[in-house]
Amino acid sequence: MYSHGSESLIKQAREIQESELQKFYSRLVKLLQAKELSHETVDSLQRLHIILFATKFTRTLPVELQKRLLSLLSAPAEQIQVLSSAVLRETLPLSGQELNYNQENAAQLNSHAAALLLSRVRSNAFPLIYISILCFVKTSAYHVTLLSKKLVDWLRYASITQGGGASSGGFFTGPRLRQPMPVAELDGTVSGDFFTVLCVGQGFTEDQWMNVYSFSMLRHWLLTYHSVSTDDRSEVDGSVVSMVSATSSSSRLLPPKERLREKAFQYCQRLIEQSDRKTHRRIDAELQKACLVEAVGILDCVCVEDASLVYRTFPCIKALFGRLSSDLSFARVLLPIAQFYLNHGEMAAVDCESVWKVVFGRFPAELFNDAFLAHELLRFLRLNLESLQLRLPQYTRSFPNLLKFLAWNSPAVVDDFVDLLPSLVTTGTAVELLHTLLDLPCLSATLVLQHRSTCLPISDTGGRSLVSLDAFRNPSFRGLFLFLLRGEAGDTIDRLSTLHEQLAEAASWPRVVQCAQTVPVLLHIFFNTVVTIADQKLLAHLILVMLERSSLLLSLRTFIREVHRVFSCHLLRLCKLQPSLVMDQSHELVEFAGTTANVYNKEEMYTHVVWVLGEYLSVSCDSRCSVRLITSCFEALEAVLFEITSSTPPPGSPCPAPRVITTLMSALAKLASRSHDLIPRVSLFLSKLRSVTRCGSVTWCSDEEDLVAIVTRGEELWSLLKTPGVAQSVLTPSAHVTTPQWHKDTNVSMPLQMRALTSLTHSQ
């Protein structure tokens, strides 16, 4: 019984007139619009709660007031939260109100908001929305336990008869045909087990819809709340449906979370069994695949939470893989299976080799043009990168296959490979991986040819025969293309120039051009990674690869220029890191620098090779350096410098860059300062250069300012070499000095210290 005062308040609340109530609503909305809530606002909220509580029927509040109350659920004051939640519990939700909940504001909700949502879940109003919200709400252990019990009921104990939609059968349909019919399997047979999302019928009951909703959010629920501490008492006093169920009596003795895991396990096992049934419609077959993806993911979750379920689950997963592995139309299902093997295969001591042959072998080789699979597989690799590196050597060996996704659709997946590439760089794969990155445009062209060869006639859409497609089908070139299409690391090729000739027309294909644009970025990542793991022998090998491959690239002008720029940058970096690398590859570097043609078609790289020879070919950097080697290098550079400054450039070639000429002069001066017998030779050349330029213009330099800069550099070097002791101290780097040196040929102009020394020599 209520007190006399309480009864009076309830009576007043029940007798309030509608007009007065609407005025009260309007006044409350104005109060709630204030920045700070006053005591009057709190009193009005309490009064509103009494009015709604005392009314025999549930009221619907005005839209504006309802929105204001919803916003108060996240108010800083708990009293306001409690009042708002209590008021909203007594009202009907607005039509479409569920759409106002989303993940952003749901994440800010508290236990009072969760209680409100859960109260509406009990009434099954807007179930999918509210269950989904609870997956994002930081709610209490009580609510987790309560909804876990509800999920058990919805998943396992939904009715197995069709809903009311089964009554529509035509004009002459009699009452007997409107009797409830059992739900059916996708193949049309009557379902003999509990209801799942793969059961069909003319209509569904409310609890069957809850079954579908529950399955759709089950994995997220398990991932979100598996660590929440809940009441571990058994569920004998739990849900009504569970109590009257005659099956699974032992599982009802489990705590709520464990029981939910058990029912989720049974549900997914049944889905896997149902997925083997023949379907009559394509859409049903797609539904089977989607449910398999979700079912395997849920089984993975429950096994992560409870390792004892691994041994019960693996036979089913293994049988499923055996059934689906030969059919690549199930590729999106096989990826969750691979995740299950990766997470639990070691514990169950099962052979996973066949799984990785499909994932790293057949997927990239046969489905490289499947954008969805590319996204899913690369996401799988990124999420499991640490485990793959530690436990699966197949992963790093499969880079030729994985790069097919990049070669086919570079813009869409380049970000994935920016993350993945460092994990593919090992001491065993570095050299071949560098070659493969440089061959990516060729791989892109080959994939296009492979796709055209299987999908299109021999001639293209314009009727013009493609030379590259003919070559792709030609047995004499087949080995070259098969090399590019290889699935694992380990092969080599020595006919790249022939391959480039056959693919010359592909240089203008959009897919190939896009692929080529990603290579410089990946090369930077490659070199930044390899310096952290490689020894000197490997770094020396990589320098050799850079020198060789600078002439063996698919003929895309911008691509070649950018690759040379990357090579130049990292050649300089490697030699600064380990100057003795110049000695290790001195023969190849001198041969490269002694080739005059490189001045015109590899300016960037040529300049840096000459610079490292002049800078690091010294006894102070490597005791193996001899006078004979210095003289040999000097003669090679001298011949090139003499040739380019005494003749016109080859037809179609521009004049040599001033930076090339000044770098050659500086390198000769450096080498001469370490072998004084060479000083007269370089001094003679520099003096001739000065006298030749005084006669007027020269054929090897078309810009007057550039010519003045070259002559100025020559005069400075000539003056410096007059005092060999000073020249050696200035031009020879110290093996132990890491600070910037006096003389660095990064610009055309000489450093200030060099100019000072020059002025001193002139004044003597």
Side-chain angles (χ1 to χ4, degrees):
M1 296 293 292
Y2 295 109
S3 66
H4 178 72
S6 299
E7 287 183 353
S8 176
L9 286 173
I10 292 173
K11 183 179 180 181
Q12 291 178 21
R14 287 174 177 171
E15 293 177 352
I16 189 171
Q17 299 297 316
E18 185 65 26
S19 58
E20 186 180 353
L21 185 60
Q22 292 301 324
K23 292 179 181 179
F24 176 69
Y25 288 158
S26 301
R27 187 168 67 253
L28 182 55
V29 168
K30 291 180 180 179
L31 290 172
L32 293 175
Q33 290 174 345
K35 292 184 178 180
E36 295 185 2
L37 301 182
S38 62
H39 291 294
E40 182 183 359
T41 306
V42 175
D43 291 340
S44 298
L45 287 173
Q46 291 173 339
R47 185 183 175 193
L48 176 60
H49 180 241
I50 294 174
I51 293 172
L52 297 174
F53 175 77
T55 307
K56 294 181 179 180
F57 52 90
T58 307
R59 293 182 181 272
T60 300
L61 295 179
V63 175
E64 183 64 24
L65 180 56
Q66 188 96 327
K67 290 181 178 179
R68 294 285 176 183
L69 292 171
L70 283 170
S71 65
L72 292 180
L73 290 173
S74 55
E78 186 173 7
Q79 182 185 15
I80 301 298
Q81 296 174 10
V82 173
L83 275 173
S84 302
S85 177
V87 169
L88 288 170
R89 286 195 214 183
E90 302 296 334
T91 65
L92 288 173
L94 295 174
S95 176
Q97 177 185 310
E98 67 277 11
L99 299 178
N100 294 328
Y101 293 101
N102 53 43
Q103 293 183 14
E104 293 180 2
N105 55 29
Q108 302 172 357
L109 298 180
N110 45 52
S111 59
H112 302 294
L116 168 65
L117 297 175
L118 196 58
S119 69
R120 289 179 175 170
V121 169
R122 289 194 192 106
S123 64
N124 290 341
F126 312 108
L128 178 59
I129 299 299
Y130 295 132
I131 296 174
S132 301
I133 290 174
L134 285 174
C135 289
F136 298 96
V137 175
K138 296 179 180 179
T139 188
S140 66
Y142 167 76
H143 296 126
V144 172
T145 300
L146 184 58
L147 190 55
S148 294
K149 293 178 180 180
K150 297 291 292 183
L151 287 172
V152 168
D153 290 343
W154 291 328
L155 285 170
R156 186 61 179 81
Y157 304 111
S159 59
I160 58 173
T161 57
Q162 298 184 26
S167 62
S168 58
F171 184 81
F172 295 103
T173 300
R176 287 179 298 175
L177 296 180
R178 290 196 293 268
Q179 295 300 317
M181 298 287 291
V183 293
E185 304 289 351
L186 289 177
D187 60 3
T189 60
V190 175
S191 177
D193 208 333
F194 61 89
F195 179 88
T196 72
V197 68
L198 286 181
C199 293
V200 295
Q202 295 297 317
F204 292 120
T205 61
E206 189 174 337
D207 63 343
Q208 289 170 351
W209 280 116
M210 293 305 298
N211 179 285
V212 175
Y213 297 151
S214 301
F215 174 69
S216 69
M217 51 70 63
L218 179 57
R219 177 160 49 150
H220 192 88
W221 179 263
L222 293 171
L223 288 172
T224 305
Y225 287 115
H226 73 91
S227 60
V228 175
S229 178
T230 58
D231 187 356
D232 288 336
R233 291 177 300 174
S234 67
E235 203 180 343
V236 173
D237 59 343
S239 67
V240 176
V241 179
S242 302
M243 288 291 293
V244 300
S245 173
T247 61
S248 304
S249 58
S250 60
S251 70
R252 290 201 306 275
L253 301 177
L254 294 171
K257 284 198 301 183
E258 283 74 1
R259 185 153 189 258
L260 178 58
R261 282 200 291 266
E262 177 65 27
K263 297 307 177 185
F265 172 80
Q266 294 175 9
Y267 194 98
C268 293
Q269 291 270 42
R270 170 145 163 72
L271 283 179
I272 292 174
E273 179 272 325
Q274 288 178 295
S275 69
D276 197 23
R277 295 177 178 271
K278 293 284 186 180
T279 60
H280 302 299
R281 300 184 303 168
R282 181 178 178 181
I283 191 172
D284 290 336
E286 293 301 317
L287 176 62
Q288 283 180 325
K289 293 177 185 178
C291 289
L292 279 176
V293 170
E294 192 67 14
V296 175
I298 291 171
L299 288 174
D300 186 34
C301 289
V302 299
C303 288
V304 168
E305 295 175 21
D306 186 354
S308 65
L309 290 173
V310 171
Y311 303 101
R312 295 172 58 191
T313 307
F314 237 114
C316 174
I317 296 295
K318 188 175 181 181
L320 182 63
F321 175 76
R323 173 160 61 90
L324 304 181
S325 58
S326 60
D327 186 354
L328 291 185
S329 66
F330 286 93
R332 59 178 300 207
V333 182
L334 293 171
L335 274 179
I337 293 177
Q339 183 71 67
F340 191 93
Y341 270 83
L342 183 63
N343 290 345
H344 311 291
E346 192 172 300
M347 178 181 178
V350 297
D351 183 14
C352 306
E353 183 68 24
S354 58
V355 176
W356 307 125
K357 283 184 178 179
V358 173
V359 173
F360 298 133
R362 294 190 64 196
F363 279 3
E366 301 179 41
L367 301 175
F368 59 86
N369 57 341
D370 187 330
F372 180 82
L373 177 68
H375 169 76
E376 289 295 307
L377 177 55
L378 295 176
R379 179 175 178 271
F380 166 80
L381 297 179
R382 286 189 290 107
L383 292 177
N384 298 282
L385 202 51
E386 186 175 350
S387 297
L388 293 171
Q389 288 179 275
L390 293 175
R391 295 159 51 188
L392 294 180
Q394 303 96 319
Y395 166 65
T396 52
R397 292 202 308 266
S398 66
F399 70 82
N401 237 5
L402 294 175
L403 286 170
K404 291 174 184 175
F405 290 121
L406 180 66
W408 182 260
N409 194 8
S410 300
V413 301
V414 64
D415 289 342
D416 295 292
F417 278 95
V418 166
D419 295 335
L420 292 174
L421 186 60
S423 66
L424 298 172
V425 181
T426 68
T427 54
T429 64
V431 173
E432 187 177 349
L433 180 56
L434 176 55
H435 280 291
T436 306
L437 291 175
L438 296 172
D439 291 333
L440 270 179
C442 296
L443 175 59
S444 178
T446 302
L447 292 175
V448 172
L449 293 174
Q450 183 184 41
H451 188 64
R452 287 190 178 188
S453 181
T454 56
C455 301
L456 298 176
I458 294 179
S459 60
D460 63 7
T461 54
R464 180 175 54 85
S465 177
L466 294 175
V467 174
S468 54
L469 188 56
D470 293 338
F472 182 78
R473 290 174 169 144
N474 190 328
S476 60
F477 301 119
R478 189 61 177 163
L480 299 176
F481 292 105
L482 288 177
F483 166 75
L484 291 175
L485 296 173
R486 70 196 185 281
E488 288 191 350
D491 294 335
T492 57
I493 189 174
D494 57 2
R495 297 171 61 197
L496 275 175
S497 57
T498 303
L499 179 64
H500 294 157
E501 290 174 6
Q502 301 304 318
L503 293 176
E505 64 183 343
S508 60
W509 296 351
R511 195 179 298 276
V512 175
V513 173
Q514 285 183 335
C515 179
Q517 291 170 349
T518 67
V519 173
V521 176
L522 298 177
L523 287 176
H524 278 300
I525 296 172
F526 170 84
F527 284 111
N528 290 338
T529 305
V530 80
V531 294
T532 65
I533 63 169
D535 56 14
Q536 183 166 328
K537 183 179 179 180
L538 177 56
L539 293 179
H541 195 169
L542 294 177
I543 289 178
L544 180 60
V545 172
M546 285 191 278
L547 295 176
E548 291 177 347
R549 290 304 305 266
S550 64
S551 301
L552 293 172
L553 298 169
L554 188 63
S555 184
L556 289 87
R557 183 175 299 179
T558 303
F559 169 67
I560 292 174
R561 184 173 62 250
E562 291 300 319
V563 169
H564 286 173
R565 186 170 296 169
V566 175
F567 280 177
S568 303
C569 169
H570 290 283
L571 173 67
L572 196 61
R573 181 185 177 191
L574 293 179
C575 293
K576 284 183 177 180
L577 184 67
Q578 295 193 31
S580 57
L581 288 171
V582 177
M583 192 64 205
D584 293 337
Q585 298 293 354
S586 59
H587 176 74
E588 289 76 12
L589 289 169
V590 170
E591 183 179 1
F592 184 92
T595 304
T596 306
N598 292 336
V599 173
Y600 300 102
N601 54 29
K602 302 175 188 175
E603 174 200 328
E604 184 86 16
M605 193 167 178
Y606 183 85
T607 304
H608 284 76
V609 169
V610 171
W611 190 90
V612 299
L613 284 171
E615 186 74 5
Y616 299 117
L617 202 60
S618 166
V619 177
S620 62
C621 294
D622 195 310
S623 60
R624 295 174 293 171
C625 184
S626 63
V627 173
R628 182 178 178 181
L629 180 59
I630 291 175
T631 302
S632 174
C633 181
F634 179 93
E635 291 175 346
L637 300 182
E638 181 187 42
V640 172
L641 183 58
F642 177 79
E643 183 177 348
I644 65 176
T645 57
S646 60
S647 60
T648 58
S653 299
C655 295
R659 188 173 65 150
V660 174
I661 297 175
T662 55
T663 304
L664 278 167
M665 292 191 304
S666 298
L668 289 173
K670 292 176 184 179
L671 294 171
S673 70
R674 297 164 201 161
S675 179
H676 293 176
D677 292 342
L678 302 174
I679 290 179
R681 293 170 62 173
V682 68
S683 297
L684 178 61
F685 172 83
L686 294 174
S687 62
K688 284 184 177 180
L689 177 68
R690 183 179 182 184
S691 61
V692 167
T693 54
R694 283 178 177 175
C695 298
S697 61
V698 293
T699 58
W700 46 269
C701 186
S702 57
D703 188 280
E704 185 177 349
E705 291 185 3
D706 290 341
L707 185 59
V708 171
I710 292 171
V711 172
T712 303
R713 172 66 63 88
E715 290 179 345
E716 291 167 341
L717 292 170
W718 179 70
S719 300
L720 187 60
L721 290 172
K722 286 182 179 180
T723 53
V726 175
Q728 185 172 7
S729 65
V730 172
L731 297 174
T732 299
S734 170
H736 306 290
V737 176
T738 58
T739 55
Q741 300 298 301
W742 281 4
H743 180 67
K744 287 186 179 292
D745 297 306
T746 55
N747 298 296
V748 172
S749 60
M750 296 292 285
L752 179 63
Q753 293 89 339
M754 291 289 292
R755 295 189 183 281
L757 289 170
T758 301
S759 63
L760 287 174
T761 58
H762 280 299
S763 64
Q764 292 178 353

